[in-house]
Amino acid sequence: MNHDLLLIDTAEELHKLPRTAGGPRAVVMTMGALHEGHATLIRTAREQAGPKGQVVVTVFVNPLQFGANEDLDRYPRTLDADLEIAREAGADAVFAPAVDEVYPGGDPQVRVSAGPMGERLEGATRPGHFDGMLTVVAKLLHLTRPDLALFGQKDAQQLALIRRMVTDLNFPVEVVGVPTVREEDGLALSSRNRYLSDQERRSALALSRALFAGQDRLAAQAALRARAEASPASGERATALARLGEVRASADAHAVSAANAGLPEAVRAAARHVLEDAGRHDPPLVLDYLALVDPQDFTDVGPHFTGQAVLAVAAKVGTTRLIDNIPLEFGAHT
């Protein structure tokens, strides 16, 4: 898409940006180093806003969400390339402020707290990270004043917390989650992928393989359950299957009711097996966490859970820490 792109670097200029008539304003928040995942977010924002709407992309490396031993200094800054990607994807304006523009008084004394949900998984590994993330998202929502805000589902816990903040604090914005974009080999797109050597990348592929192994385990169990449930109930089910000569299916019919209650753990186990194997690679994948959680509060799902869950993983390969997740749907048990 060839059109003029407005670069804005102050809050005053941003406040003067006129809203377009006839369509919503959509914002995509990034820390720069844009890649195809970000471009997908921007294109989706363009589609949601429509030709008469407006798409604003923010580019800001937020120091509040980096810990003492994290990669703030080496986080890539590629504004010229970012501007071109934003333009091609359909953005109308890019807001790329300096740190002292966002935090004119230095580190803010008043911040948004992520609460208990922000202390789990990523929050346990990176204390204070989500407080810093929510604080800057709140500020950028106030500054950009969008109708829609789009975030990637790759950062599932971040997305869940932003949704919760918007609901709990009555922000007048609709939060839209956009599915994870993956490279051809399955690795979730991330600005940190560029740090991986060829060997490290091969080890890192275990993250997506583990998630898909869990997904496959769930699908296989669902197929088994459907086959068993299609037969008559209780003892008649096994008898009917046995008459058809399906001895294995007869045993499966009995196993289904017992296995259903342990399905979440079976999904975890399938994913864990892949990750444990990757821990023996050279270089090894060093697991931080593997979790199957309720997306409403990121607590572990129980053995009888039904509904949507998130299978999430985080690990280090070399010095690079990566995260990934997939949504899963657990059906009602019979």
Side-chain angles (χ1 to χ4, degrees):
M1 179 179 292
N2 293 314
H3 65 277
D4 291 336
L5 180 74
L6 183 63
L7 175 61
I8 300 169
D9 58 14
T10 69
E12 183 178 358
E13 289 178 278
L14 184 61
H15 287 151
K16 292 178 180 177
L17 177 66
R19 303 180 76 91
T20 56
R25 174 181 286 181
V27 67
V28 174
M29 298 184 191
T30 82
M31 292 206 301
L34 302 189
H35 49 63
E36 180 57 27
H38 298 106
T40 298
L41 282 169
I42 299 166
R43 285 194 293 268
T44 304
R46 181 78 273 163
E47 292 169 5
Q48 297 257 335
K52 296 182 179 180
Q54 186 178 62
V55 176
V56 177
V57 176
T58 69
V59 175
F60 179 65
V61 182
N62 177 35
L64 295 190
Q65 63 195 73
F66 286 80
N69 298 316
E70 294 183 332
D71 54 359
L72 173 62
D73 291 337
R74 73 168 183 153
Y75 196 89
R77 274 82 165 172
T78 57
L79 183 57
D80 289 342
D82 294 344
L83 293 175
E84 188 56 33
I85 290 172
R87 185 198 318 274
E88 289 295 324
D92 297 300
V94 169
F95 178 49
V99 173
D100 59 3
E101 182 69 25
V102 177
Y103 304 120
D107 284 355
Q109 299 301 300
V110 176
R111 308 186 186 198
V112 177
S113 170
M117 186 174 167
E119 297 171 358
R120 300 171 186 135
L121 300 188
E122 284 298 290
T125 301
R126 307 173 67 188
H129 165 72
F130 285 127
D131 291 355
M133 178 276 294
L134 290 177
T135 298
V136 80
V137 168
K139 287 191 66 108
L140 290 173
L141 286 174
H142 286 311
L143 289 168
T144 57
R145 296 169 297 166
D147 303 291
L148 308 170
L150 291 86
F151 298 90
Q153 291 178 359
K154 174 181 167 289
D155 297 295
Q157 192 171 5
Q158 169 179 285
L159 174 59
L161 280 162
I162 291 170
R163 281 183 164 143
R164 192 75 201 210
M165 177 183 72
V166 164
T167 297
D168 289 351
L169 302 184
N170 298 99
F171 279 76
V173 63
E174 178 186 350
V175 175
V176 178
V178 179
T180 301
V181 178
R182 298 185 181 278
E183 301 193 40
E184 289 186 6
D185 57 11
L187 190 67
L189 280 173
S190 168
S191 301
R192 292 189 168 97
N193 291 353
R194 68 186 69 194
Y195 301 145
L196 298 170
S197 67
D198 289 343
Q199 277 189 298
E200 288 172 341
R201 186 185 178 91
R202 283 193 286 272
S203 296
L205 292 177
L207 272 73
S208 57
R209 285 204 307 269
L211 297 178
F212 296 139
Q215 183 181 58
D216 290 346
R217 181 69 183 87
L218 178 61
Q221 190 71 17
L224 172 62
R225 184 167 57 245
R227 181 174 64 177
E229 290 174 353
S231 300
S234 64
E236 295 179 11
R237 173 185 295 165
T239 303
L241 289 170
R243 281 201 194 102
L244 294 173
E246 296 186 41
V247 178
R248 175 62 185 275
S250 175
D252 284 349
H254 288 296
V256 166
S257 59
N260 274 349
L263 185 52
E265 183 50 39
V267 169
R268 292 185 186 98
R272 192 180 302 116
H273 177 75
V274 175
L275 297 168
E276 288 173 351
D277 182 61
R280 295 185 285 271
H281 290 180
D282 181 21
L285 182 141
V286 181
L287 183 64
D288 185 348
Y289 62 76
L290 171 70
L292 183 62
V293 297
D294 184 333
Q296 297 302 312
D297 57 10
F298 267 66
T299 56
D300 289 333
V301 304
H304 300 281
F305 181 83
T306 61
Q308 190 172 86
V310 172
L311 183 61
V313 63
K316 261 193 171 185
V317 181
T319 60
T320 304
R321 186 174 183 276
L322 300 170
I323 63 172
D324 201 352
N325 72 86
I326 54 172
L328 298 175
E329 186 75 28
F330 287 79
H333 304 317
T334 59

